[in-house]
């Protein structure tokens, strides 16, 4: 039994090291990772180097074009646009990362329990998932936002609760194959509990699926935040995010004030594409069929 359990532990570790090397050879994925790191530094470290007031208005500095004093100009109430891009990006990235991780955790536990239990438990739990997938997440967000005005913590919880469905299906499929492996059967035969089998063997050996799902969930969460904020139902002023900046700058764009809409739009596109590139790279790196 000891040899079986040791093999189950050593093989995933060696496989994950090989996967990391394969990921490092994927130039697009590495570029995506570099973009994410740069935006994290830009949004969380940038305000320490480029300090601006994003709370009070300054009507003497309204709608200024990009220049020496304001590198990306100012908006309709005098906020420095570069500082606002950092401030809004902090909210977008924080909500996207936290909501994506929350959705992945919920979906992972739900899918692992459903796949391991099997039978009627699996059938009932997956019917719940099917029913949830049938309802568009954006529709649920719009309904909730129309009823209440969520802050950053509220957005994180709401996005996490509407985005866990896809990860649960992926983890369930992985669990169905893992629960019949020798090391899991050996654990069960020697009196190991179901919880130990899931936490010590099923989930660690599903880490590749979980990590890939998490990257895509973060990208989807950032887009959902942008959708809701663009419609004016996200975080409220003076707070903002990139979607809120797009909404505020839409009418100004027709007046030639491009600096109010192009930077946040590019930021959303670059970050979402970067997370998708990371997800694709991780999926290829963990793909056993692609290993030499």
């Amino acid at each position: 039994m000891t040899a079986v359990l040791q093999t189950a532990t050593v093989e995933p570790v060696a496989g994950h090291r090989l996967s990391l090397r394969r990921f490092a050879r994927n130039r697009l994925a590495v570029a995506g990772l570099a973009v994410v790191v740069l935006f994290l530094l830009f949004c969380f470290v940038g305000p320490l180097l480029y300090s601006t007031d994003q709370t009070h208005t300054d009507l003497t500095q309204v709608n200024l074009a990009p220049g020496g004093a304001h590198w990306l100009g100012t908006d309709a109430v005098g906020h420095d646009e570069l500082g606002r891009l950092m401030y809004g990006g902090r909210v977008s990235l924080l909500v996207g990362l936290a909501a994506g991780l929350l959705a992945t955790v919920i979906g992972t536990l739900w899918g692992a329990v459903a796949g391991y239990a099997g039978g009627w438990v699996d059938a009932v739990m997956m019917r719940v998932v099917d029913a949830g997938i049938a309802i568009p997440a954006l529709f649920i967000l719009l309904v909730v936002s129309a009823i209440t005005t969520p802050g950053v913590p509220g957005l994180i919880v709401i996005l996490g609760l509407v985005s866990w469905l896809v990860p649960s299906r992926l983890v369930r499929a992985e669990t169905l194959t893992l629960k019949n492996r020798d090391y899991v059967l050996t654990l069960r035969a020697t009196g190991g509990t179901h919880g130990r089998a899931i936490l010590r063997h099923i989930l660690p050996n599903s880490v590749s699926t979980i990590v890939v799902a998490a990257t895509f969930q973060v990208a989807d969460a950032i887009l959902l935040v942008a959708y809701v904020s663009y419609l004016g139902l996200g975080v409220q002023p003076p707070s903002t995010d990139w979607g809120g900046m797009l909404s505020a700058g839409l009418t100004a764009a027709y007046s030639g004030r491009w600096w109010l809409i192009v930077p946040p739009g590019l930021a959303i596109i670059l970050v979402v594409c970067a997370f998708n590139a990371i997800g694709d790279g991780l999926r290829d790196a963990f793909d056993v069929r692609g290993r030499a």
Side-chain angles (χ1 to χ4, degrees), residues 150-177:
V152 171
L155 275 177
I156 292 173
V157 173
I158 294 170
L159 286 171
L161 292 178
V162 301
S163 304
W164 60 272
L165 303 169
V166 173
S168 70
R169 296 177 69 101
L170 296 174
V171 175
R172 171 186 175 268
E174 189 75 12
T175 302
L176 290 175
T177 63

Side-chain angles (χ1 to χ4, degrees), residues 97-253:
L97 288 168
L101 292 176
L102 177 60
T104 304
V105 170
I106 297 174
T108 295
L109 295 176
W110 188 278
V113 171
Y116 185 83
W120 67 269
V121 175
D122 180 34
V124 171
M125 294 180 70
M126 296 316 296
R127 295 299 76 75
V128 172
V129 173
D130 292 339
I133 290 178
I135 304 175
L138 183 58
F139 174 76
I140 298 176
L141 287 173
L142 292 178
V143 171
V144 173
S145 298
I147 296 173
T148 181
T149 303
V152 171
L155 275 177
I156 292 173
V157 173
I158 294 170
L159 286 171
L161 292 178
V162 301
S163 304
W164 60 272
L165 303 169
V166 173
S168 70
R169 296 177 69 101
L170 296 174
V171 175
R172 171 186 175 268
E174 189 75 12
T175 302
L176 290 175
T177 63
L178 291 174
K179 71 177 184 178
N180 293 320
R181 297 288 178 88
D182 290 341
Y183 47 86
V184 177
L185 296 177
T186 301
L187 177 65
R188 295 294 301 124
T190 56
T193 63
H194 297 300
R196 182 180 176 85
I198 292 175
L199 296 177
R200 295 294 299 273
H201 295 292
I202 300 296
L203 293 184
N205 285 283
S206 303
V207 65
S208 59
T209 300
I210 296 170
V211 170
V212 173
T215 57
F216 289 119
Q217 287 305 307
V218 171
D220 291 343
I222 292 174
L223 277 179
L224 285 173
V225 173
Y227 292 156
V228 175
S229 297
Y230 180 79
L231 296 174
L233 300 174
V235 294
Q236 300 301 308
S239 297
T240 190
D241 56 59
W242 288 335
M245 294 178 66
L246 281 177
S247 179
L250 183 60
T251 56

Side-chain angles (χ1 to χ4, degrees), residues 84-105:
R84 200 141 185 89
L85 191 67
M86 298 176 184
Y87 185 76
R90 183 184 299 178
V91 175
S92 292
L93 290 173
L94 178 62
V95 173
L97 288 168
L101 292 176
L102 177 60
T104 304
V105 170

